[in-house]
Short mmCIF file of all heavy atoms in Angstrom, two decimals:
data_model
loop_
_atom_site.label_atom_id
_atom_site.label_comp_id
_atom_site.label_asym_id
_atom_site.label_seq_id
_atom_site.Cartn_x
_atom_site.Cartn_y
_atom_site.Cartn_z
N MET A 242 -18.58 -44.20 56.54
CA MET A 242 -19.29 -43.82 55.32
C MET A 242 -20.22 -44.95 54.89
O MET A 242 -19.81 -46.10 54.80
CB MET A 242 -18.30 -43.54 54.19
CG MET A 242 -17.61 -42.20 54.36
SD MET A 242 -18.54 -40.82 53.66
CE MET A 242 -17.66 -40.59 52.12
N ASN A 243 -21.43 -44.61 54.66
CA ASN A 243 -22.40 -45.61 54.23
C ASN A 243 -22.66 -45.42 52.74
O ASN A 243 -23.40 -44.55 52.33
CB ASN A 243 -23.68 -45.44 55.04
CG ASN A 243 -24.63 -46.59 54.82
OD1 ASN A 243 -24.27 -47.59 54.20
ND2 ASN A 243 -25.84 -46.44 55.32
N ARG A 244 -22.02 -46.25 51.97
CA ARG A 244 -22.13 -46.10 50.52
C ARG A 244 -22.80 -47.33 49.93
O ARG A 244 -22.35 -48.44 50.16
CB ARG A 244 -20.75 -45.89 49.92
CG ARG A 244 -20.80 -45.44 48.49
CD ARG A 244 -19.47 -44.84 48.09
NE ARG A 244 -19.25 -45.09 46.67
CZ ARG A 244 -18.42 -46.01 46.22
NH1 ARG A 244 -17.73 -46.73 47.05
NH2 ARG A 244 -18.29 -46.18 44.93
N THR A 245 -23.85 -47.08 49.23
CA THR A 245 -24.58 -48.19 48.61
C THR A 245 -24.16 -48.33 47.15
O THR A 245 -24.13 -47.36 46.42
CB THR A 245 -26.09 -47.96 48.66
OG1 THR A 245 -26.43 -47.55 49.98
CG2 THR A 245 -26.85 -49.22 48.34
N THR A 246 -23.83 -49.53 46.78
CA THR A 246 -23.54 -49.76 45.36
C THR A 246 -24.58 -50.70 44.81
O THR A 246 -24.99 -51.66 45.45
CB THR A 246 -22.13 -50.36 45.15
OG1 THR A 246 -21.98 -51.43 46.05
CG2 THR A 246 -21.05 -49.34 45.34
N PHE A 247 -24.99 -50.40 43.62
CA PHE A 247 -25.98 -51.25 42.97
C PHE A 247 -25.28 -52.12 41.95
O PHE A 247 -24.67 -51.63 41.01
CB PHE A 247 -27.03 -50.39 42.27
CG PHE A 247 -27.84 -49.58 43.24
CD1 PHE A 247 -27.53 -48.26 43.48
CD2 PHE A 247 -28.91 -50.16 43.90
CE1 PHE A 247 -28.26 -47.52 44.38
CE2 PHE A 247 -29.65 -49.41 44.80
CZ PHE A 247 -29.33 -48.09 45.05
N ASN A 248 -25.36 -53.39 42.18
CA ASN A 248 -24.82 -54.31 41.20
C ASN A 248 -25.96 -54.93 40.43
O ASN A 248 -26.62 -55.82 40.92
CB ASN A 248 -23.98 -55.39 41.89
CG ASN A 248 -22.54 -54.97 42.00
OD1 ASN A 248 -21.90 -54.66 40.99
ND2 ASN A 248 -22.03 -54.94 43.20
N GLU A 249 -26.14 -54.43 39.24
CA GLU A 249 -27.23 -54.95 38.43
C GLU A 249 -26.68 -55.64 37.21
O GLU A 249 -25.60 -55.31 36.72
CB GLU A 249 -28.15 -53.81 38.01
CG GLU A 249 -28.94 -53.29 39.17
CD GLU A 249 -30.08 -52.41 38.69
OE1 GLU A 249 -31.00 -52.94 38.07
OE2 GLU A 249 -30.01 -51.22 38.93
N ARG A 250 -27.44 -56.58 36.71
CA ARG A 250 -26.99 -57.30 35.54
C ARG A 250 -27.35 -56.50 34.29
O ARG A 250 -28.51 -56.18 34.06
CB ARG A 250 -27.66 -58.68 35.48
CG ARG A 250 -27.07 -59.55 34.40
CD ARG A 250 -27.92 -60.76 34.18
NE ARG A 250 -27.88 -61.68 35.32
CZ ARG A 250 -27.00 -62.67 35.44
NH1 ARG A 250 -26.12 -62.88 34.50
NH2 ARG A 250 -27.03 -63.46 36.48
N CYS A 251 -26.34 -56.22 33.53
CA CYS A 251 -26.53 -55.48 32.28
C CYS A 251 -27.26 -56.36 31.28
O CYS A 251 -26.93 -57.53 31.11
CB CYS A 251 -25.17 -55.04 31.75
SG CYS A 251 -25.23 -54.37 30.09
N GLY A 252 -28.26 -55.78 30.61
CA GLY A 252 -29.05 -56.54 29.66
C GLY A 252 -28.32 -56.82 28.36
O GLY A 252 -28.77 -57.62 27.55
N ILE A 253 -27.21 -56.15 28.14
CA ILE A 253 -26.47 -56.35 26.90
C ILE A 253 -25.34 -57.36 27.10
O ILE A 253 -25.29 -58.38 26.44
CB ILE A 253 -25.90 -55.00 26.39
CG1 ILE A 253 -27.00 -53.97 26.25
CG2 ILE A 253 -25.14 -55.21 25.09
CD1 ILE A 253 -27.98 -54.20 25.12
N CYS A 254 -24.41 -57.07 27.99
CA CYS A 254 -23.26 -57.95 28.18
C CYS A 254 -23.54 -59.02 29.25
O CYS A 254 -22.77 -59.95 29.42
CB CYS A 254 -22.01 -57.15 28.52
SG CYS A 254 -22.11 -56.25 30.07
N GLU A 255 -24.65 -58.85 29.97
CA GLU A 255 -25.08 -59.80 30.99
C GLU A 255 -24.07 -59.99 32.11
O GLU A 255 -23.98 -61.03 32.74
CB GLU A 255 -25.44 -61.14 30.34
CG GLU A 255 -26.72 -61.00 29.52
CD GLU A 255 -27.08 -62.24 28.75
OE1 GLU A 255 -26.45 -63.28 29.00
OE2 GLU A 255 -27.99 -62.17 27.92
N GLU A 256 -23.31 -58.93 32.35
CA GLU A 256 -22.39 -58.93 33.48
C GLU A 256 -22.92 -57.97 34.53
O GLU A 256 -23.61 -57.01 34.21
CB GLU A 256 -21.00 -58.48 33.02
CG GLU A 256 -20.26 -59.56 32.26
CD GLU A 256 -18.92 -59.04 31.79
OE1 GLU A 256 -18.26 -58.32 32.54
OE2 GLU A 256 -18.55 -59.35 30.65
N ARG A 257 -22.55 -58.24 35.77
CA ARG A 257 -22.99 -57.34 36.82
C ARG A 257 -22.09 -56.12 36.87
O ARG A 257 -20.88 -56.23 36.98
CB ARG A 257 -23.00 -58.06 38.17
CG ARG A 257 -24.08 -59.11 38.22
CD ARG A 257 -24.35 -59.56 39.65
NE ARG A 257 -25.58 -60.34 39.68
CZ ARG A 257 -26.78 -59.79 39.88
NH1 ARG A 257 -26.87 -58.49 40.11
NH2 ARG A 257 -27.85 -60.54 39.88
N LYS A 258 -22.72 -54.96 36.77
CA LYS A 258 -21.97 -53.71 36.75
C LYS A 258 -22.58 -52.74 37.75
O LYS A 258 -23.77 -52.80 38.05
CB LYS A 258 -22.00 -53.08 35.35
CG LYS A 258 -21.34 -53.93 34.27
CD LYS A 258 -19.84 -53.88 34.39
CE LYS A 258 -19.15 -54.88 33.47
NZ LYS A 258 -19.23 -54.49 32.07
N GLU A 259 -21.73 -51.86 38.25
CA GLU A 259 -22.20 -50.89 39.24
C GLU A 259 -22.83 -49.68 38.60
O GLU A 259 -23.73 -49.07 39.15
CB GLU A 259 -21.04 -50.42 40.11
CG GLU A 259 -20.62 -51.43 41.15
CD GLU A 259 -19.44 -50.92 41.96
OE1 GLU A 259 -19.31 -49.69 42.11
OE2 GLU A 259 -18.66 -51.75 42.42
N ARG A 260 -22.29 -49.31 37.45
CA ARG A 260 -22.75 -48.07 36.84
C ARG A 260 -23.44 -48.31 35.51
O ARG A 260 -22.97 -49.13 34.71
CB ARG A 260 -21.58 -47.11 36.65
CG ARG A 260 -21.01 -46.65 37.97
CD ARG A 260 -19.81 -45.79 37.73
NE ARG A 260 -20.06 -44.83 36.64
CZ ARG A 260 -19.34 -43.74 36.46
NH1 ARG A 260 -18.36 -43.47 37.24
NH2 ARG A 260 -19.60 -42.94 35.47
N GLY A 261 -24.49 -47.58 35.30
CA GLY A 261 -25.21 -47.73 34.05
C GLY A 261 -26.49 -46.91 34.05
O GLY A 261 -26.71 -46.10 34.94
N ILE A 262 -27.29 -47.14 33.04
CA ILE A 262 -28.54 -46.41 32.95
C ILE A 262 -29.70 -47.39 32.91
O ILE A 262 -29.53 -48.55 32.55
CB ILE A 262 -28.60 -45.52 31.68
CG1 ILE A 262 -28.34 -46.36 30.42
CG2 ILE A 262 -27.64 -44.37 31.78
CD1 ILE A 262 -28.89 -45.73 29.17
N HIS A 263 -30.87 -46.90 33.29
CA HIS A 263 -32.07 -47.72 33.25
C HIS A 263 -32.96 -47.27 32.10
O HIS A 263 -33.20 -46.08 31.93
CB HIS A 263 -32.85 -47.60 34.56
CG HIS A 263 -32.26 -48.41 35.65
ND1 HIS A 263 -31.54 -47.85 36.67
CD2 HIS A 263 -32.26 -49.74 35.87
CE1 HIS A 263 -31.13 -48.81 37.47
NE2 HIS A 263 -31.54 -49.97 37.02
N LEU A 264 -33.40 -48.23 31.35
CA LEU A 264 -34.36 -47.96 30.29
C LEU A 264 -35.56 -48.84 30.62
O LEU A 264 -35.52 -50.04 30.41
CB LEU A 264 -33.75 -48.37 28.95
CG LEU A 264 -33.78 -47.35 27.82
CD1 LEU A 264 -33.04 -46.08 28.23
CD2 LEU A 264 -33.14 -47.93 26.59
N TYR A 265 -36.60 -48.22 31.17
CA TYR A 265 -37.73 -48.99 31.68
C TYR A 265 -37.19 -50.01 32.69
O TYR A 265 -36.56 -49.61 33.66
CB TYR A 265 -38.50 -49.66 30.54
CG TYR A 265 -38.93 -48.66 29.49
CD1 TYR A 265 -38.35 -48.64 28.24
CD2 TYR A 265 -39.89 -47.70 29.80
CE1 TYR A 265 -38.73 -47.68 27.29
CE2 TYR A 265 -40.28 -46.75 28.87
CZ TYR A 265 -39.70 -46.75 27.62
OH TYR A 265 -40.06 -45.81 26.70
N ASN A 266 -37.37 -51.28 32.46
CA ASN A 266 -36.88 -52.28 33.42
C ASN A 266 -35.54 -52.85 32.98
O ASN A 266 -35.06 -53.84 33.50
CB ASN A 266 -37.91 -53.40 33.58
CG ASN A 266 -38.12 -54.15 32.28
OD1 ASN A 266 -37.82 -53.62 31.21
ND2 ASN A 266 -38.60 -55.36 32.36
N PHE A 267 -34.95 -52.22 32.02
CA PHE A 267 -33.74 -52.72 31.40
C PHE A 267 -32.55 -51.92 31.91
O PHE A 267 -32.61 -50.70 32.02
CB PHE A 267 -33.88 -52.53 29.88
CG PHE A 267 -33.03 -53.43 29.05
CD1 PHE A 267 -33.42 -54.73 28.80
CD2 PHE A 267 -31.86 -52.96 28.47
CE1 PHE A 267 -32.66 -55.56 28.00
CE2 PHE A 267 -31.10 -53.79 27.66
CZ PHE A 267 -31.50 -55.08 27.43
N PHE A 268 -31.48 -52.63 32.24
CA PHE A 268 -30.29 -51.94 32.72
C PHE A 268 -29.17 -52.09 31.69
O PHE A 268 -28.90 -53.17 31.19
CB PHE A 268 -29.85 -52.55 34.05
CG PHE A 268 -28.57 -51.98 34.58
CD1 PHE A 268 -28.54 -50.70 35.12
CD2 PHE A 268 -27.41 -52.72 34.54
CE1 PHE A 268 -27.35 -50.17 35.62
CE2 PHE A 268 -26.21 -52.20 35.04
CZ PHE A 268 -26.18 -50.92 35.58
N ILE A 269 -28.54 -50.97 31.35
CA ILE A 269 -27.42 -50.98 30.41
C ILE A 269 -26.24 -50.35 31.11
O ILE A 269 -26.32 -49.22 31.58
CB ILE A 269 -27.76 -50.20 29.12
CG1 ILE A 269 -29.01 -50.78 28.45
CG2 ILE A 269 -26.57 -50.23 28.16
CD1 ILE A 269 -29.50 -49.94 27.28
N CYS A 270 -25.13 -51.08 31.18
CA CYS A 270 -23.96 -50.53 31.85
C CYS A 270 -23.33 -49.43 30.99
O CYS A 270 -23.58 -49.36 29.78
CB CYS A 270 -22.95 -51.63 32.17
SG CYS A 270 -22.11 -52.32 30.74
N THR A 271 -22.53 -48.62 31.62
CA THR A 271 -21.96 -47.48 30.91
C THR A 271 -21.12 -47.91 29.71
O THR A 271 -21.09 -47.25 28.70
CB THR A 271 -21.10 -46.61 31.85
OG1 THR A 271 -20.28 -47.47 32.64
CG2 THR A 271 -21.95 -45.77 32.76
N GLU A 272 -20.44 -49.03 29.85
CA GLU A 272 -19.62 -49.51 28.73
C GLU A 272 -20.46 -49.88 27.52
O GLU A 272 -20.15 -49.53 26.39
CB GLU A 272 -18.81 -50.73 29.17
CG GLU A 272 -17.69 -50.38 30.12
CD GLU A 272 -17.27 -51.57 30.95
OE1 GLU A 272 -16.94 -52.60 30.34
OE2 GLU A 272 -17.31 -51.48 32.19
N CYS A 273 -21.56 -50.61 27.77
CA CYS A 273 -22.42 -51.01 26.67
C CYS A 273 -23.13 -49.80 26.08
O CYS A 273 -23.32 -49.72 24.87
CB CYS A 273 -23.44 -52.04 27.14
SG CYS A 273 -22.68 -53.63 27.47
N GLU A 274 -23.50 -48.88 26.94
CA GLU A 274 -24.14 -47.67 26.45
C GLU A 274 -23.20 -46.96 25.48
O GLU A 274 -23.59 -46.55 24.39
CB GLU A 274 -24.47 -46.76 27.63
CG GLU A 274 -25.28 -45.54 27.23
CD GLU A 274 -25.24 -44.44 28.28
OE1 GLU A 274 -24.56 -44.61 29.30
OE2 GLU A 274 -25.87 -43.41 28.04
N TYR A 275 -21.94 -46.86 25.86
CA TYR A 275 -20.94 -46.23 25.02
C TYR A 275 -20.78 -46.99 23.71
O TYR A 275 -20.72 -46.42 22.63
CB TYR A 275 -19.60 -46.19 25.79
CG TYR A 275 -18.47 -45.54 25.02
CD1 TYR A 275 -18.23 -44.18 25.15
CD2 TYR A 275 -17.66 -46.30 24.19
CE1 TYR A 275 -17.20 -43.58 24.45
CE2 TYR A 275 -16.63 -45.71 23.48
CZ TYR A 275 -16.40 -44.35 23.62
OH TYR A 275 -15.38 -43.77 22.91
N ASN A 276 -20.73 -48.31 23.81
CA ASN A 276 -20.56 -49.14 22.62
C ASN A 276 -21.72 -48.97 21.65
O ASN A 276 -21.52 -48.89 20.44
CB ASN A 276 -20.44 -50.62 23.01
CG ASN A 276 -19.11 -50.91 23.65
OD1 ASN A 276 -18.13 -50.20 23.44
ND2 ASN A 276 -19.04 -51.98 24.42
N ILE A 277 -22.93 -48.93 22.20
CA ILE A 277 -24.12 -48.79 21.34
C ILE A 277 -24.06 -47.47 20.60
O ILE A 277 -24.28 -47.40 19.40
CB ILE A 277 -25.40 -48.89 22.19
CG1 ILE A 277 -25.57 -50.32 22.70
CG2 ILE A 277 -26.62 -48.48 21.37
CD1 ILE A 277 -26.64 -50.48 23.76
N ILE A 278 -23.73 -46.41 21.33
CA ILE A 278 -23.69 -45.08 20.73
C ILE A 278 -22.63 -45.01 19.64
O ILE A 278 -22.81 -44.36 18.62
CB ILE A 278 -23.44 -44.02 21.83
CG1 ILE A 278 -24.66 -43.92 22.75
CG2 ILE A 278 -23.13 -42.66 21.22
CD1 ILE A 278 -24.40 -43.16 24.04
N HIS A 279 -21.54 -45.73 19.83
CA HIS A 279 -20.43 -45.65 18.88
C HIS A 279 -20.40 -46.79 17.88
O HIS A 279 -19.37 -47.05 17.27
CB HIS A 279 -19.11 -45.55 19.65
CG HIS A 279 -18.96 -44.25 20.38
ND1 HIS A 279 -19.44 -44.08 21.67
CD2 HIS A 279 -18.45 -43.06 20.00
CE1 HIS A 279 -19.21 -42.83 22.03
NE2 HIS A 279 -18.60 -42.20 21.05
N THR A 280 -21.52 -47.48 17.74
CA THR A 280 -21.59 -48.53 16.75
C THR A 280 -22.37 -48.04 15.54
O THR A 280 -23.45 -47.48 15.67
CB THR A 280 -22.28 -49.80 17.32
OG1 THR A 280 -21.55 -50.23 18.46
CG2 THR A 280 -22.31 -50.92 16.30
N GLU A 281 -21.81 -48.23 14.37
CA GLU A 281 -22.48 -47.81 13.15
C GLU A 281 -23.54 -48.85 12.77
O GLU A 281 -23.33 -50.04 12.96
CB GLU A 281 -21.46 -47.73 12.00
CG GLU A 281 -20.29 -46.82 12.29
CD GLU A 281 -20.52 -45.42 11.78
OE1 GLU A 281 -21.38 -45.24 10.91
OE2 GLU A 281 -19.83 -44.50 12.26
N PRO A 282 -24.67 -48.39 12.23
CA PRO A 282 -25.73 -49.34 11.86
C PRO A 282 -25.27 -50.42 10.89
O PRO A 282 -25.87 -51.49 10.82
CB PRO A 282 -26.79 -48.43 11.21
CG PRO A 282 -26.56 -47.09 11.81
CD PRO A 282 -25.07 -47.00 12.04
N ARG A 283 -24.22 -50.17 10.10
CA ARG A 283 -23.78 -51.18 9.14
C ARG A 283 -22.92 -52.25 9.80
O ARG A 283 -22.62 -53.27 9.20
CB ARG A 283 -23.02 -50.53 7.98
CG ARG A 283 -21.79 -49.78 8.42
CD ARG A 283 -21.20 -48.99 7.26
NE ARG A 283 -20.47 -47.81 7.72
CZ ARG A 283 -19.22 -47.84 8.15
NH1 ARG A 283 -18.57 -48.98 8.19
NH2 ARG A 283 -18.63 -46.75 8.56
N GLU A 284 -22.53 -52.01 11.05
CA GLU A 284 -21.72 -53.01 11.75
C GLU A 284 -22.60 -54.15 12.26
O GLU A 284 -23.75 -53.94 12.63
CB GLU A 284 -20.99 -52.37 12.93
CG GLU A 284 -19.84 -51.46 12.50
CD GLU A 284 -19.11 -50.90 13.70
OE1 GLU A 284 -18.56 -51.68 14.49
OE2 GLU A 284 -19.12 -49.67 13.88
N GLU A 285 -22.02 -55.32 12.29
CA GLU A 285 -22.78 -56.51 12.70
C GLU A 285 -23.23 -56.41 14.15
O GLU A 285 -24.31 -56.84 14.51
CB GLU A 285 -21.91 -57.75 12.53
CG GLU A 285 -22.73 -59.00 12.26
CD GLU A 285 -21.85 -60.17 11.94
OE1 GLU A 285 -21.19 -60.13 10.88
OE2 GLU A 285 -21.81 -61.09 12.75
N LYS A 286 -22.39 -55.79 14.97
CA LYS A 286 -22.70 -55.62 16.40
C LYS A 286 -24.01 -54.88 16.60
O LYS A 286 -24.74 -55.13 17.55
CB LYS A 286 -21.60 -54.78 17.07
CG LYS A 286 -20.40 -55.54 17.51
CD LYS A 286 -19.55 -54.67 18.43
CE LYS A 286 -19.05 -53.41 17.72
NZ LYS A 286 -18.15 -52.61 18.58
N TYR A 287 -24.28 -53.95 15.69
CA TYR A 287 -25.45 -53.09 15.84
C TYR A 287 -26.74 -53.91 15.90
O TYR A 287 -27.62 -53.64 16.71
CB TYR A 287 -25.49 -52.12 14.66
CG TYR A 287 -26.48 -50.99 14.83
CD1 TYR A 287 -26.14 -49.86 15.55
CD2 TYR A 287 -27.74 -51.05 14.25
CE1 TYR A 287 -27.04 -48.82 15.71
CE2 TYR A 287 -28.65 -50.01 14.39
CZ TYR A 287 -28.29 -48.90 15.12
OH TYR A 287 -29.19 -47.87 15.27
N ASN A 288 -26.82 -54.92 15.03
CA ASN A 288 -28.00 -55.78 15.04
C ASN A 288 -28.10 -56.57 16.33
O ASN A 288 -29.18 -56.82 16.84
CB ASN A 288 -27.96 -56.74 13.85
CG ASN A 288 -28.36 -56.01 12.58
OD1 ASN A 288 -29.31 -55.24 12.56
ND2 ASN A 288 -27.62 -56.25 11.52
N TYR A 289 -26.95 -56.95 16.84
CA TYR A 289 -26.92 -57.66 18.11
C TYR A 289 -27.50 -56.80 19.22
O TYR A 289 -28.34 -57.23 20.00
CB TYR A 289 -25.47 -58.05 18.42
CG TYR A 289 -25.26 -58.59 19.82
CD1 TYR A 289 -25.59 -59.91 20.13
CD2 TYR A 289 -24.72 -57.78 20.82
CE1 TYR A 289 -25.39 -60.40 21.40
CE2 TYR A 289 -24.52 -58.27 22.10
CZ TYR A 289 -24.85 -59.58 22.38
OH TYR A 289 -24.66 -60.06 23.65
N TYR A 290 -27.08 -55.54 19.26
CA TYR A 290 -27.59 -54.63 20.28
C TYR A 290 -29.08 -54.40 20.10
O TYR A 290 -29.83 -54.36 21.06
CB TYR A 290 -26.84 -53.29 20.22
CG TYR A 290 -25.40 -53.37 20.64
CD1 TYR A 290 -24.40 -52.71 19.92
CD2 TYR A 290 -25.02 -54.10 21.77
CE1 TYR A 290 -23.07 -52.78 20.31
CE2 TYR A 290 -23.70 -54.17 22.15
CZ TYR A 290 -22.72 -53.51 21.42
OH TYR A 290 -21.43 -53.57 21.79
N LEU A 291 -29.48 -54.25 18.84
CA LEU A 291 -30.90 -54.01 18.56
C LEU A 291 -31.75 -55.15 19.07
O LEU A 291 -32.80 -54.95 19.66
CB LEU A 291 -31.12 -53.84 17.05
CG LEU A 291 -30.99 -52.44 16.48
CD1 LEU A 291 -31.46 -52.43 15.03
CD2 LEU A 291 -31.79 -51.42 17.28
N ARG A 292 -31.28 -56.37 18.81
CA ARG A 292 -32.03 -57.54 19.27
C ARG A 292 -32.16 -57.54 20.79
O ARG A 292 -33.20 -57.85 21.34
CB ARG A 292 -31.34 -58.83 18.81
CG ARG A 292 -31.75 -59.27 17.42
CD ARG A 292 -31.52 -60.75 17.22
NE ARG A 292 -30.12 -61.11 17.46
CZ ARG A 292 -29.16 -61.04 16.56
NH1 ARG A 292 -29.43 -60.61 15.35
NH2 ARG A 292 -27.93 -61.39 16.85
N LYS A 293 -31.07 -57.20 21.46
CA LYS A 293 -31.08 -57.14 22.92
C LYS A 293 -32.06 -56.07 23.41
O LYS A 293 -32.82 -56.28 24.35
CB LYS A 293 -29.68 -56.80 23.45
CG LYS A 293 -28.70 -57.93 23.29
CD LYS A 293 -28.91 -58.94 24.39
CE LYS A 293 -27.80 -59.99 24.37
NZ LYS A 293 -28.01 -61.00 25.43
N LEU A 294 -32.03 -54.93 22.74
CA LEU A 294 -32.88 -53.82 23.16
C LEU A 294 -34.35 -54.12 22.95
O LEU A 294 -35.21 -53.54 23.60
CB LEU A 294 -32.48 -52.55 22.41
CG LEU A 294 -31.13 -51.97 22.82
CD1 LEU A 294 -30.70 -50.88 21.86
CD2 LEU A 294 -31.18 -51.41 24.24
N LYS A 295 -34.64 -55.04 22.03
CA LYS A 295 -36.04 -55.39 21.80
C LYS A 295 -36.63 -56.15 22.97
O LYS A 295 -37.84 -56.31 23.08
CB LYS A 295 -36.17 -56.23 20.53
CG LYS A 295 -36.21 -55.36 19.29
CD LYS A 295 -36.42 -56.21 18.06
CE LYS A 295 -36.29 -55.32 16.81
NZ LYS A 295 -36.04 -56.12 15.62
N ASN A 296 -35.77 -56.62 23.86
CA ASN A 296 -36.25 -57.33 25.04
C ASN A 296 -36.81 -56.39 26.09
O ASN A 296 -37.36 -56.82 27.09
CB ASN A 296 -35.12 -58.16 25.67
CG ASN A 296 -34.68 -59.28 24.76
OD1 ASN A 296 -35.49 -59.84 24.04
ND2 ASN A 296 -33.40 -59.62 24.80
N ILE A 297 -36.61 -55.10 25.87
CA ILE A 297 -37.14 -54.13 26.83
C ILE A 297 -38.65 -54.19 26.82
O ILE A 297 -39.28 -54.14 25.77
CB ILE A 297 -36.67 -52.70 26.48
CG1 ILE A 297 -35.15 -52.61 26.52
CG2 ILE A 297 -37.32 -51.69 27.42
CD1 ILE A 297 -34.63 -51.28 26.03
N ASN A 298 -39.20 -54.32 28.00
CA ASN A 298 -40.66 -54.30 28.11
C ASN A 298 -41.12 -52.86 28.24
O ASN A 298 -41.05 -52.29 29.32
CB ASN A 298 -41.12 -55.11 29.32
CG ASN A 298 -40.88 -56.58 29.12
OD1 ASN A 298 -41.05 -57.10 28.02
ND2 ASN A 298 -40.49 -57.25 30.17
N GLN A 299 -41.53 -52.33 27.15
CA GLN A 299 -41.98 -50.94 27.21
C GLN A 299 -43.35 -50.87 27.84
O GLN A 299 -44.17 -51.73 27.63
CB GLN A 299 -42.01 -50.35 25.80
CG GLN A 299 -40.62 -50.26 25.23
CD GLN A 299 -40.60 -49.47 23.93
OE1 GLN A 299 -41.51 -48.74 23.65
NE2 GLN A 299 -39.55 -49.67 23.16
N PRO A 300 -43.55 -49.82 28.61
CA PRO A 300 -44.86 -49.68 29.25
C PRO A 300 -45.95 -49.54 28.20
O PRO A 300 -45.75 -48.90 27.17
CB PRO A 300 -44.73 -48.43 30.10
CG PRO A 300 -43.56 -47.71 29.58
CD PRO A 300 -42.66 -48.71 28.93
N THR A 301 -47.07 -50.14 28.47
CA THR A 301 -48.18 -50.07 27.54
C THR A 301 -48.74 -48.66 27.49
O THR A 301 -48.89 -48.00 28.51
CB THR A 301 -49.30 -51.03 27.99
OG1 THR A 301 -48.72 -52.27 28.32
CG2 THR A 301 -50.31 -51.24 26.89
N LEU A 302 -48.97 -48.22 26.30
CA LEU A 302 -49.56 -46.89 26.15
C LEU A 302 -51.08 -47.00 26.20
O LEU A 302 -51.68 -47.71 25.42
CB LEU A 302 -49.13 -46.25 24.83
CG LEU A 302 -47.64 -45.91 24.72
CD1 LEU A 302 -47.32 -45.45 23.31
CD2 LEU A 302 -47.25 -44.83 25.71
N TYR A 303 -51.63 -46.28 27.15
CA TYR A 303 -53.08 -46.30 27.26
C TYR A 303 -53.66 -45.14 26.46
O TYR A 303 -53.23 -44.00 26.63
CB TYR A 303 -53.49 -46.18 28.74
CG TYR A 303 -53.00 -47.32 29.56
CD1 TYR A 303 -51.88 -47.18 30.35
CD2 TYR A 303 -53.67 -48.55 29.52
CE1 TYR A 303 -51.41 -48.24 31.12
CE2 TYR A 303 -53.20 -49.61 30.29
CZ TYR A 303 -52.08 -49.45 31.08
OH TYR A 303 -51.63 -50.49 31.82
N SER A 304 -54.58 -45.43 25.62
CA SER A 304 -55.18 -44.36 24.83
C SER A 304 -56.68 -44.26 25.09
O SER A 304 -57.27 -45.16 25.64
CB SER A 304 -54.92 -44.57 23.34
OG SER A 304 -55.37 -45.84 22.96
ZN1 ZN B 299 -23.00 -54.17 29.70
#
């Protein structure tokens, strides 16, 4: 069996994880994705995640 695993560094926890999602050039592991979704905006963690997510290089919109 030829199985390829992708070990990418998560942009949130900065650990190498096999599973996750890509947001532009940003990789978020499934655990962090879950944490972000289940964090309330009033929690301190939420600002931490927001700051991390701001590092995403969004593609330039051409108009
Ligand atoms: Zn992570």
Side-chain angles (χ1 to χ4, degrees):
M242 285 274 259
N243 190 9
R244 192 162 149 256
T245 313
T246 48
F247 295 98
N248 270 303
E249 289 194 68
R250 189 192 291 269
C251 170
I253 305 290
C254 64
E255 290 175 10
E256 284 178 40
R257 290 195 168 270
K258 297 285 171 72
E259 284 179 28
R260 294 176 44 162
I262 55 158
H263 282 104
L264 232 59
Y265 306 109
N266 63 339
F267 203 80
F268 176 74
I269 302 173
C270 71
T271 44
E272 288 158 55
C273 289
E274 186 198 1
Y275 180 92
N276 287 337
I277 291 168
I278 291 166
H279 292 88
T280 301
E281 304 267 340
R283 60 188 152 82
E284 288 182 61
E285 209 174 294
K286 276 193 299 184
Y287 192 83
N288 283 317
Y289 170 79
Y290 292 137
L291 272 189
R292 274 203 303 275
K293 289 281 188 181
L294 290 169
K295 277 183 187 161
N296 294 327
I297 299 173
N298 291 322
Q299 294 189 19
T301 313
L302 293 173
Y303 298 100
S304 55

